[in-house]
């Protein structure tokens, strides 16, 4: 299955069911939290390698790992998560204004409202991977863009701010405000985004074209291989 294919409804449910199963740690992310987490990673100031962010899907501790039945299931679940991430990336690259956060809906006094808290918790966890790198937007004139994420996702907010999130109608409005802000948050970071490059340290010196080939043939590297070393 190609990583650029969006999840089908069946695959979405498959990943959802696994995350909610008793084979994942208690603190494993739910689908809405995961979507917020992946969004922060996708649109934030730095590219972060999957090897780093995948671990946090299962919990905050290194011991928080899922119980896969076998290697094939592990590959399957990781593949679904990576495709879920790619959906987020592609949407922002192609049509950021069409991005829809995965908010939960609930009924309140005859109204259908959105609850964006879990999504924002996930986004906040994504920010916590590089908290210092996010500082420029907080210090900028566009800091208000982050206010709904702070109010709904931060571990602690001011006491006088609690009324804004504890009232379902006000929390619903914050969710709508957040959705409207996301394309501009993406736009803020786009020119500043750093590439996530992993450097590899050579264990031995690089072989030059005029050096003896390390294969032991006794020939010069350029004569033995007939090309520049990679």
């Amino acid at each position: 299955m190609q990583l650029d294919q969006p999840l089908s409804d069946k695959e979405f449910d498959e990943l959802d069911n696994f995350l909610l199963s008793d084979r994942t740690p208690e603190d494993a992310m739910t689908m809405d939290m995961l979507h917020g987490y992946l969004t922060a990673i996708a649109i934030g100031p730095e590219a972060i390698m999957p090897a780093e962010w995948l671990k946090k899907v299962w919990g905050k501790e290194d011991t928080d790992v899922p119980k896969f039945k076998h290697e094939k299931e592990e590959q399957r679940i990781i593949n679904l998560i990576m495709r879920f991430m790619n959906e987020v990336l592609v949407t922002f690259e192609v049509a950021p204004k069409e991005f829809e956060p995965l908010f939960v809906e609930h009924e309140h006094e005859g109204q259908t409202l959105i609850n964006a808290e879990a999504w924002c918790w996930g986004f906040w966890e994504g920010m916590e991977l590089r908290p210092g790198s996010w500082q420029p937007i907080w210090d900028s004139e566009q800091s208000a863009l982050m206010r709904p994420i702070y109010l709904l996702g931060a571990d602690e907010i001011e006491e006088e701010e609690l009324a804004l999130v504890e009232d379902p109608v006000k929390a619903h409005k914050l969710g709508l405000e957040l959705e409207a802000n996301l394309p501009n948050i993406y736009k803020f970071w786009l020119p500043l985004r750093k590439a996530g490059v992993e450097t590899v340290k050579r264990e031995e010196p690089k072989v030059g074209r005029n050096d003896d080939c390390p294969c032991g043939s006794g020939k010069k590297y350029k004569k033995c291989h007939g090309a520049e070393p990679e």
Side-chain angles (χ1 to χ4, degrees):
M1 187 67 69
Q2 296 296 316
L3 288 176
D4 58 356
Q5 289 187 325
L7 299 185
S8 66
D9 290 344
K10 184 177 179 181
E11 290 169 329
F12 182 97
D13 291 341
E14 179 184 349
L15 180 55
D16 184 25
N17 290 332
F18 182 80
L19 292 173
L20 293 174
S21 73
D22 57 8
R23 292 192 291 119
T24 58
E26 185 176 349
D27 291 333
M29 294 183 179
T30 56
M31 286 295 281
D32 50 349
M33 187 176 181
L34 175 61
H35 195 246
Y37 179 67
L38 297 179
T39 303
I41 296 167
I43 71 174
E46 291 187 39
I48 301 175
M49 298 297 102
E52 178 180 353
W53 61 254
L54 266 171
K55 296 184 290 185
K56 300 297 183 181
V57 173
W58 313 118
K60 295 186 177 182
E61 305 297 330
D62 290 339
T63 52
D64 290 330
V65 292
K67 298 174 182 177
F68 295 110
K69 292 178 180 178
H70 38 63
E71 185 177 349
K72 187 176 180 179
E73 182 185 52
E74 180 178 4
Q75 292 174 349
R76 170 67 175 173
I77 295 299
I78 298 304
N79 178 273
L80 294 178
I81 293 174
M82 294 304 298
R83 286 169 55 201
F84 200 36
M85 165 59 111
N86 283 345
E87 283 186 60
V88 175
L89 288 166
V90 170
T91 303
F92 274 104
E93 288 174 3
V94 176
K97 291 183 179 180
E98 295 181 14
F99 180 79
E100 296 182 4
L102 185 62
F103 295 153
V104 172
E105 292 186 345
H106 65 107
E107 296 295 323
H108 175 72
E109 297 181 351
Q111 301 180 76
T112 300
L113 304 179
I114 58 174
N115 183 339
E117 277 197 345
W119 193 94
C120 288
W121 294 340
F123 196 99
W124 199 267
E125 287 296 313
M127 290 171 54
E128 285 296 304
L129 294 172
R130 296 289 188 278
S133 296
W134 281 85
Q135 197 58 42
I137 196 168
W138 294 107
D139 295 338
S140 75
E141 294 179 354
Q142 299 188 61
S143 60
L145 294 172
M146 301 296 292
R147 183 171 176 269
I149 295 171
Y150 156 72
L151 290 172
L152 294 169
D155 291 334
E156 294 182 8
I157 61 176
E158 299 297 326
E159 187 173 351
E160 59 269 22
E161 296 169 330
L162 290 174
L164 297 174
V165 297
E166 291 179 344
D167 180 279
V169 175
K170 291 181 179 179
H172 169 86
K173 291 179 179 178
L174 282 173
L176 295 177
E177 183 182 341
L178 163 60
E179 184 170 356
N181 289 351
L182 285 171
N184 288 323
I185 295 173
Y186 167 73
K187 185 178 179 181
F188 177 90
W189 289 116
L190 196 57
L192 306 174
R193 190 170 173 82
K194 302 174 184 176
V197 179
E198 292 185 340
T199 57
V200 179
K201 182 180 180 182
R202 292 180 177 271
E203 295 299 325
E204 296 181 7
K206 183 178 179 179
V207 180
R209 283 171 54 83
N210 293 312
D211 292 339
D212 291 337
C213 184
C215 71
S217 65
K219 299 178 182 179
K220 298 298 182 183
Y221 188 94
K222 65 180 178 181
K223 294 291 185 181
C224 191
H225 291 265
E228 289 284 350
E230 294 182 358

